[in-house]
Amino acid sequence: MDANRTDSNAPTPGNTLPRVRITNATKLFGRHAEIQALRDVSLDVAAGEVVLIIGPSGSGKSTLLRSVNRLETLTSGSIWVDEDEVTDQRGDIRRIREEVGMVFQSFNLFPHLSAIQNIMLGPTTVKKQHRDEVFPRARALLARVGLADKENAYPGQLSGGQQQRVAIARALAMNPKVMLFDEPTSALDPEMIKEVLDVMLDLARDGMTMLVVSHEMGFARAAADRVVFMDEGQIIEHGPPTQVFDTPREERTRKFLKHIL
Amino acid sequence: MASVDKQQSVQITVSDGALIPDRAEKSLFSAWRISFFGAITLLVLFPVISPTPYLDILRFVPDGILTTFQVTVVSIVFALIIGLFTGLGRVSRITIINRIATVYVEVIRGIPLLVQLFYIYFALGQFVIVPRMGAAVIAMSICYGAYMGEIFRAGILAIPKGQMEAALALGLSRSQAMRKVILPQTLRMVLPPIGNEFIALLKDSSLVSILAVSDLLRRGREYAATTFRYFETYTIVALIYLVMTLFFSKLVSIMEERLERNGR
Ligand SMILES: Nc1ncnc2c1ncn2[C@@H]1O[C@H](COP(=O)(O)OP(=O)(O)O)[C@@H](O)[C@H]1O
Ligand SMILES: [Mg+2]
């Protein structure tokens, strides 16, 4: 594990900073800090890179993702998005969150707002942009996720796949530099998974930096630059999808892959 | 989709037992219909059969109905404002605000409304002059504000935490998220329980007659005291209260049904 950490910490070519840098992230939960959700995790994600995180339930995948926009506060360690330190308690976390989009397993669309209003809320409230300016962009985003005709539909009137696509558009409306996806297709009926993955694939091809928790192997092989396998709060191994999936180095990875395939 | 469904089925059960008709009860002789139309029939029948004293009573007390409504409506408005802030205080992460709100709720809920009325009018009356009507409204608002606070608190806590997280993840501040995301959803959820509080307050407003505010009950007392027609007077007063509360509970249940139907 130590070997892995050092090589994920290896400086990126040239002297460009990684887009996301996670160093020695540790997160303890519980009254007596008895739950070690993250144990000394380090990971660099380059601009434009798509990193897929896999691992058994409870291995700390969500906690790692949620630490990147400080929905969880690390116990120790640090996280940077470009030159901004997320883990700096005095820093302006809201400015960083504007640049980090997040998509949740349960969509979390705002049920009292229509699709277009969901997308416009961020830019109008946070960036104080004028509605007239945001509206055409919001429409374009809806079209991009294939829902141009659902502008005025409320989340309750949309299928799961449609809701998740609106949620992606909502995150994109803030023009983020990084997108976090926490099991975006796990709550979907099988026939809706593809429509969401297609949108994500399109984003990946467009050069978006993405951290994706998902066990969709097809997506991983098509879009991921790197696969990270986590277990018990640690990164066990990582590498290109073909290497991790086809010739895993670690026994635990092998076991896990056998289990999910 | 699961999360959205869950949100719909959340029911807030803060209520002190106002008569909300059972919506399943659709029969012609539902309890609500028997009570409501029964009361109206009696209110019409009595004066027709014996105009004295019933017609006189019905001429004498309506001023009081107006006052009862005034006290109720003004109090509920203030109670809503107090309740909103109390509810926000009860879920606040700032310890001191949270503590103040909680103590307020505990103290007020532990003192009978009648005692609060006496306290504000008579006890505080020793130091400052409080007009009767003012004392009545202040006491009712403060008292019901505490209960409303608990309703708002329950409503805010009933919103799935993913809603706050999604708002924060977009870059909204906590207070922006509260205003734009949480409270609008809370509002539709707390509307029925607030309706219940309105009915409860309407009934409790009869306590203000103690302060010689000329509400419905007080007007009845005045009439009865001069004519000694206690039975007839209080029968009419009771029937009028009954018609009013049943009318409003019907409104609340219709509203509940509507909200549920276009609940998304
Ligand atoms: N808010 C929390 N309070 C206490 N324990 C938590 C909390 N969130 C996560 N955990 C625990 O941390 C560990 C990692 O959880 P999580 O990051 O959600 O795993 P994964 O997403 O890989 O399933 C688990 O043991 C989980 O029970
Ligand atoms: Mg998870």
Side-chain angles (χ1 to χ4, degrees):
Chain A
M1 167 255 155
D2 257 304
N4 280 327
R5 203 177 77 223
T6 20
D7 82 41
S8 72
N9 254 341
T12 33
N15 51 7
T16 51
L17 279 168
R19 175 119 302 168
V20 179
R21 162 161 284 181
I22 300 167
T23 27
N24 309 108
T26 296
K27 174 66 181 180
L28 307 177
F29 281 116
R31 191 182 295 241
H32 308 290
E34 72 279 11
I35 303 165
Q36 301 186 306
L38 295 177
R39 294 155 68 191
D40 209 16
V41 172
S42 296
L43 179 71
D44 279 1
V45 180
E49 199 182 6
V50 176
V51 174
L52 194 89
I53 303 169
I54 61 172
S57 162
S59 57
K61 307 180 298 293
S62 296
T63 307
L64 182 64
L65 224 56
R66 291 160 56 83
S67 301
V68 175
N69 63 357
R70 215 205 282 165
L71 286 183
E72 303 290 355
T73 311
L74 288 184
T75 307
S76 67
S78 63
I79 297 180
W80 299 73
V81 173
D82 283 344
E83 62 279 11
D84 300 313
E85 188 183 349
V86 177
T87 39
D88 178 6
Q89 289 300 320
R90 292 153 308 176
D92 182 4
I93 187 62
R94 284 166 57 196
R95 214 197 69 245
I96 301 176
R97 281 175 178 158
E98 285 182 42
E99 308 190 320
V100 179
M102 186 158 204
V103 174
F104 302 84
Q105 176 176 351
S106 51
F107 329 137
N108 296 346
L109 284 183
F110 308 130
H112 61 299
L113 301 178
S114 65
I116 194 99
Q117 289 169 333
N118 263 278
I119 297 171
M120 291 172 66
L121 183 72
T124 52
T125 310
V126 179
K127 294 195 197 277
K128 307 283 181 212
Q129 290 170 345
H130 197 269
R131 298 181 52 84
D132 298 342
E133 176 193 348
V134 180
F135 184 67
R137 270 184 36 232
R139 278 186 125 169
L141 281 168
L142 264 182
R144 177 168 181 190
V145 298
L147 293 170
D149 56 331
K150 298 294 184 188
E151 192 175 305
N152 296 315
Y154 283 85
Q157 300 164 327
L158 298 172
S159 73
Q162 291 170 332
Q163 288 189 59
Q164 193 60 299
R165 285 185 282 156
V166 173
I168 294 173
R170 174 177 71 179
L172 290 177
M174 297 298 288
N175 283 324
K177 311 196 245 194
V178 185
M179 286 282 286
L180 311 172
F181 294 84
D182 193 359
E183 307 209 31
T185 57
S186 300
L188 297 178
D189 295 334
E191 71 271 18
M192 293 171 186
I193 291 178
K194 187 175 176 300
E195 66 191 50
V196 171
L197 291 180
D198 283 347
V199 170
M200 291 169 60
L201 202 60
D202 177 55
L203 259 182
R205 296 213 171 107
D206 223 37
M208 177 62 78
T209 309
M210 295 163 61
L211 267 110
V212 183
V213 175
S214 171
H215 295 128
E216 294 294 334
M217 292 298 167
F219 173 79
R221 287 185 194 273
D225 298 300
R226 201 147 42 113
V227 173
V228 171
F229 172 65
M230 285 185 74
D231 195 17
E232 296 179 347
Q234 291 178 310
I235 293 182
I236 303 302
E237 77 172 279
H238 64 96
T242 44
Q243 188 246 299
V244 175
F245 292 152
D246 303 334
T247 55
R249 279 193 295 251
E250 302 288 329
E251 179 56 31
R252 276 201 264 183
T253 319
R254 225 166 293 148
K255 260 200 182 140
F256 174 73
L257 288 170
K258 206 177 288 168
H259 178 72
I260 61 164
L261 285 179
Chain B
M1 222 186 304
S3 72
V4 179
D5 287 344
K6 208 190 300 163
Q7 209 172 316
Q8 274 177 30
S9 63
V10 173
Q11 285 274 348
I12 298 166
T13 45
V14 185
S15 157
D16 55 351
L19 308 143
I20 301 302
D22 184 353
R23 265 167 292 127
E25 212 177 339
K26 288 280 186 231
S27 95
L28 194 56
F29 295 104
S30 69
W32 185 86
R33 289 194 177 180
I34 294 173
S35 325
F36 185 73
F37 293 109
I40 287 191
T41 309
L42 291 180
L43 278 175
V44 173
L45 220 55
F46 284 148
V48 171
I49 294 170
S50 77
T52 23
Y54 289 110
L55 206 56
D56 293 339
I57 300 171
L58 278 177
R59 284 213 192 90
F60 193 82
V61 295
D63 288 357
I65 298 179
L66 201 68
T67 307
T68 288
F69 268 115
Q70 278 170 354
V71 172
T72 306
V73 170
V74 176
S75 302
I76 203 92
V77 168
F78 283 115
L80 274 173
I81 297 167
I82 296 173
L84 175 60
F85 285 103
T86 306
L88 287 170
R90 292 273 280 143
V91 299
S92 171
R93 306 180 135 205
I94 303 164
T95 318
I96 184 160
I97 293 179
N98 192 307
R99 207 50 55 80
I100 291 171
T102 310
V103 168
Y104 161 65
V105 170
E106 288 297 326
V107 168
I108 294 302
R109 289 207 301 187
I111 302 172
L113 176 54
L114 187 55
V115 176
Q116 291 180 41
L117 272 171
F118 276 26
Y119 196 84
I120 287 178
Y121 185 63
F122 296 112
L124 291 186
Q126 287 199 346
F127 310 104
V128 280
I129 299 162
V130 196
R132 294 170 196 287
M133 190 71 166
V137 167
I138 292 170
M140 306 278 287
S141 309
I142 290 178
C143 178
Y144 273 78
Y147 291 96
M148 292 287 189
E150 289 305 272
I151 291 174
F152 275 106
R153 171 173 174 269
I156 292 167
L157 293 180
I159 308 297
K161 84 180 206 307
Q163 291 289 310
M164 177 56 93
E165 288 184 349
L168 293 180
L170 282 173
L172 274 75
S173 67
R174 252 171 207 286
S175 69
Q176 285 172 333
M178 206 36 115
R179 266 180 292 132
K180 306 256 176 175
V181 174
I182 307 297
L183 285 182
Q185 295 180 61
T186 300
L187 225 51
R188 42 186 9 216
M189 228 181 253
V190 298
L191 232 43
I194 285 175
N196 289 353
E197 289 303 297
F198 178 83
I199 295 163
L201 207 158
L202 181 69
K203 290 189 289 179
D204 276 351
S205 74
S206 60
L207 289 173
V208 306
S209 61
I210 294 278
L211 306 186
V213 172
S214 302
D215 73 330
L216 175 54
L217 179 59
R218 180 76 189 190
R219 289 293 282 173
R221 258 175 86 185
E222 287 166 6
Y223 186 86
T226 50
T227 59
F228 302 105
R229 300 282 200 162
Y230 290 104
F231 178 80
E232 296 87 340
T233 312
Y234 286 126
T235 302
I236 294 294
V237 167
L239 285 173
I240 295 176
Y241 272 114
L242 185 59
V243 168
M244 293 196 297
T245 51
L246 286 173
F247 173 76
F248 284 110
S249 45
K250 191 67 175 179
L251 275 190
V252 172
S253 80
I254 290 171
M255 177 177 75
E256 223 169 15
E257 218 167 319
R258 289 256 167 91
L259 279 176
E260 213 154 285
R261 210 171 328 124
N262 23 323
R264 21 184 182 239

